[in-house]
Amino acid sequence: MGSAAGEDAKQTRYHEISPVNYLSEKSPPLLMIQGDQDTTIPVKHALHMESSASSIGAPVDIMIIQNAGHNWRRVNEDIEPSREAIIQRTVQFLAGSLN
């Protein structure tokens, strides 16, 4: 069983490395592409980031890929949207961010 000090240090470290804690209205645009079946980084983290960003006016977009695990690996069924659509959305995001 971990000590209280160890747990506090762990929580402090989580806070330090969590990108949601560094968002501001002046943050650069961010596109998060997240698989809905991701067990490495659960989709709830992307939804939390989107909600937090929206509440402070930070430029964050998320794209949730259905039937996809981490790195958009297929889980049970074909991913939706397709990899081609993901690439197209990424290109549009990058092109729009240059303006």
Side-chain angles (χ1 to χ4, degrees), residues 25-56:
E25 65 279 352
K26 294 181 180 180
S27 293
L30 173 65
L31 173 62
M32 296 178 65
I33 305 173
Q34 176 78 43
D36 70 339
Q37 303 295 315
D38 191 334
T39 57
T40 303
I41 303 171
V43 72
K44 69 181 181 181
H45 294 286
L47 298 173
H48 175 68
M49 181 76 125
E50 179 183 47
S51 175
S52 296
S54 178
S55 72
I56 62 170

Side-chain angles (χ1 to χ4, degrees), residues 8-78:
D8 287 346
K10 188 177 181 181
Q11 289 303 316
T12 298
R13 184 68 180 137
Y14 284 152
H15 186 273
E16 289 172 351
I17 65 172
S18 180
V20 74
N21 297 312
Y22 299 97
L23 288 174
S24 78
E25 65 279 352
K26 294 181 180 180
S27 293
L30 173 65
L31 173 62
M32 296 178 65
I33 305 173
Q34 176 78 43
D36 70 339
Q37 303 295 315
D38 191 334
T39 57
T40 303
I41 303 171
V43 72
K44 69 181 181 181
H45 294 286
L47 298 173
H48 175 68
M49 181 76 125
E50 179 183 47
S51 175
S52 296
S54 178
S55 72
I56 62 170
V60 174
D61 285 332
I62 67 168
M63 182 179 193
I64 305 299
I65 310 305
Q66 303 301 309
N67 308 312
H70 201 66
N71 296 332
W72 322 320
R73 284 188 294 270
R74 181 180 183 271
V75 177
N76 298 323
E77 298 180 33
D78 289 341

